[in-house]
Amino acid sequence: MTTSEEAQDRRPRYHRTAAALLTVLMLLAGGWLLWRTEELADSPALDNRALADTRATERVVGDVSGALGRVFSYAPQDTASTRHAARQLLAGKAARQYEALFAEVEQRAAQQKLTLTTHVVRAGVTRLTDRDARLLVFLDQVAQRAGKPATTVAAQLSVTAELQGGHWRIVDITAR
């Protein structure tokens, strides 16, 4: 056999080996991709509707922003409506904390003729499921004492809300 015949004889064997190797590599890659797909399918991130469901995200932001504005705004002559709003809009730990603090606030508001107005500047949903939501909220609070200039203070809160009876209720508030 001449060298050119030997080279032609090796070529088909080389192609078969390369094809077999390529087939094995593709099977391995396919198996790895299938494993990664299953791993991703079990991810808790898939339950987070915050980015995919804009209507639900807008609703929870609107409900929570409105609630924060109502429960953190009061006038010295009308703290009862603020307390009433808190009972409707807060639940769980947030309601207990609020009740403990608001008795003192009511007393000071009347004595100092203090008006507090709270506006949500920006709110973002970090996690949203069918039952609960977590938000990061930036707000401005304007405090006005009788006869003194108003002062504005910025605040940042982490808020957890739960869907109860078709309405979002705040269940936890943490200052950041």
Side-chain angles (χ1 to χ4, degrees), residues 56-89:
T57 301
E58 289 171 358
R59 179 170 177 228
V60 72
V61 166
D63 287 358
V64 168
S65 296
L68 290 172
R70 288 182 63 195
V71 300
F72 289 128
S73 296
Y74 53 83
Q77 69 277 11
D78 188 22
T79 55
S81 63
T82 302
R83 183 182 288 277
H84 179 69
R87 287 185 180 136
Q88 291 178 329
L89 302 168

Side-chain angles (χ1 to χ4, degrees), residues 5-54:
E5 289 175 349
E6 287 176 6
Q8 284 179 350
D9 189 37
R10 277 190 230 138
R11 221 175 276 151
R13 205 174 333 146
Y14 171 77
H15 288 296
R16 281 190 298 259
T17 304
L21 184 59
L22 184 60
T23 301
V24 168
L25 287 174
M26 289 186 71
L27 286 172
L28 286 173
W32 181 80
L33 287 173
L34 182 62
W35 173 73
R36 289 292 294 156
T37 302
E38 297 241 348
E39 188 176 279
L40 291 174
D42 293 336
S43 172
L46 292 176
D47 293 333
N48 188 357
R49 298 173 31 212
L51 296 175
D53 190 342
T54 55

Side-chain angles (χ1 to χ4, degrees), residues 92-142:
K93 182 179 174 184
R96 290 188 301 275
Q97 290 172 323
Y98 190 87
E99 280 296 320
L101 295 173
F102 198 70
E104 183 182 326
V105 168
E106 278 183 305
Q107 191 175 37
R108 281 191 295 146
Q111 289 172 348
Q112 299 174 1
K113 295 183 174 81
L114 176 63
T115 300
L116 183 70
T117 307
T118 301
H119 299 283
V120 172
V121 177
R122 178 76 100 194
V125 180
T126 59
R127 176 137 179 85
L128 176 63
T129 68
D130 292 336
R131 298 180 320 270
D132 63 359
R134 291 193 187 100
L135 298 89
L136 182 59
V137 181
F138 297 91
L139 44 90
D140 283 343
Q141 293 184 301
V142 180

Side-chain angles (χ1 to χ4, degrees), residues 144-159:
Q144 174 76 51
R145 286 186 173 78
K148 296 191 177 181
T151 58
T152 302
V153 177
Q156 180 180 344
L157 305 174
S158 289
V159 177

